[in-house]
Amino acid sequence: MNYSELIQIARKVKKNSYSPYSKFRVGAVLVTNEGNLYSGVNVENSSYGLTNCAERTAVFSAVSEGERNFKTIVLVSDAEDFIPPCGACRQVLMEVCGKDLEVVMSNSDNEIRILKLEDLLPLSFNKEFLEK
Ligand code: THU
């Protein structure tokens, strides 16, 4: 599946965002090495700190289904800007997907920006430190 097809899926999923407080809808599609897709949206809470971002929703869903090898995550919102994963999500993505994960962001003009996770989270604390 190409990037624009994945972005279309993420935009459709974004409609399910539960974001009554921020009104900031985010959709994510996580792609495994085999091409399986797992989607996620942000799920907010009246106790704001319990909000789960779209990225983590997608990751936790994929891991729950037994997936362990990931190639790409696609992120969309309604904003003019490219929305990158927040710090907490970068750390979770590093743990589960690793430094080579492609992070594909698309803005409201349907432009695309692609970065490697290691460029978004340089010098990360990760599981390699615990394996020594
Ligand atoms: N949010 C995400 O879902 N992913 C991000 O990468 C950034 C922020 C959500 C959390 C909250 O529901 C809303 O966007 C505003 O912060």
Side-chain angles (χ1 to χ4, degrees):
M1 207 170 264
N2 65 34
Y3 291 139
S4 60
E5 289 170 318
L6 292 168
I7 288 165
Q8 255 183 288
I9 293 171
R11 292 205 187 285
K12 206 166 174 188
V13 161
K14 173 169 60 66
K15 295 187 181 138
N16 297 328
S17 163
Y18 178 75
S19 42
Y21 306 108
S22 71
K23 313 259 193 290
F24 193 87
R25 301 184 303 168
V26 184
V29 174
L30 186 59
V31 187
T32 69
N33 288 347
E34 297 77 35
N36 298 332
L37 306 184
Y38 294 86
S39 61
V41 295
N42 51 331
V43 182
E44 297 187 345
N45 195 286
S46 52
S47 177
Y48 297 161
L50 297 182
T51 291
N52 209 63
C53 291
E55 296 89 325
R56 277 177 288 146
T57 306
V59 168
F60 296 153
S61 163
V63 169
S64 302
E65 293 298 320
E67 300 284 7
R68 293 293 184 271
N69 300 302
F70 301 97
K71 187 172 189 289
T72 304
I73 190 164
V74 175
L75 301 175
V76 300
S77 77
D78 299 312
E80 282 173 28
D81 300 307
F82 296 103
I83 299 303
C86 77
C89 288
R90 291 178 200 203
Q91 183 69 24
V92 170
L93 290 168
M94 185 61 78
E95 178 72 29
V96 174
C97 307
K99 64 182 176 55
D100 293 324
L101 183 76
E102 271 183 331
V103 180
V104 178
M105 294 160 273
S106 182
N107 63 8
S108 58
D109 287 336
N110 234 16
E111 295 165 323
I112 300 180
R113 187 167 177 204
I114 305 175
L115 288 169
K116 277 274 161 76
L117 184 60
E118 68 181 335
D119 297 322
L120 287 165
L121 190 64
L123 202 65
S124 65
F125 180 79
N126 58 54
K127 53 191 167 194
E128 285 171 26
F129 291 98
L130 303 179
E131 285 161 0
K132 285 185 180 154

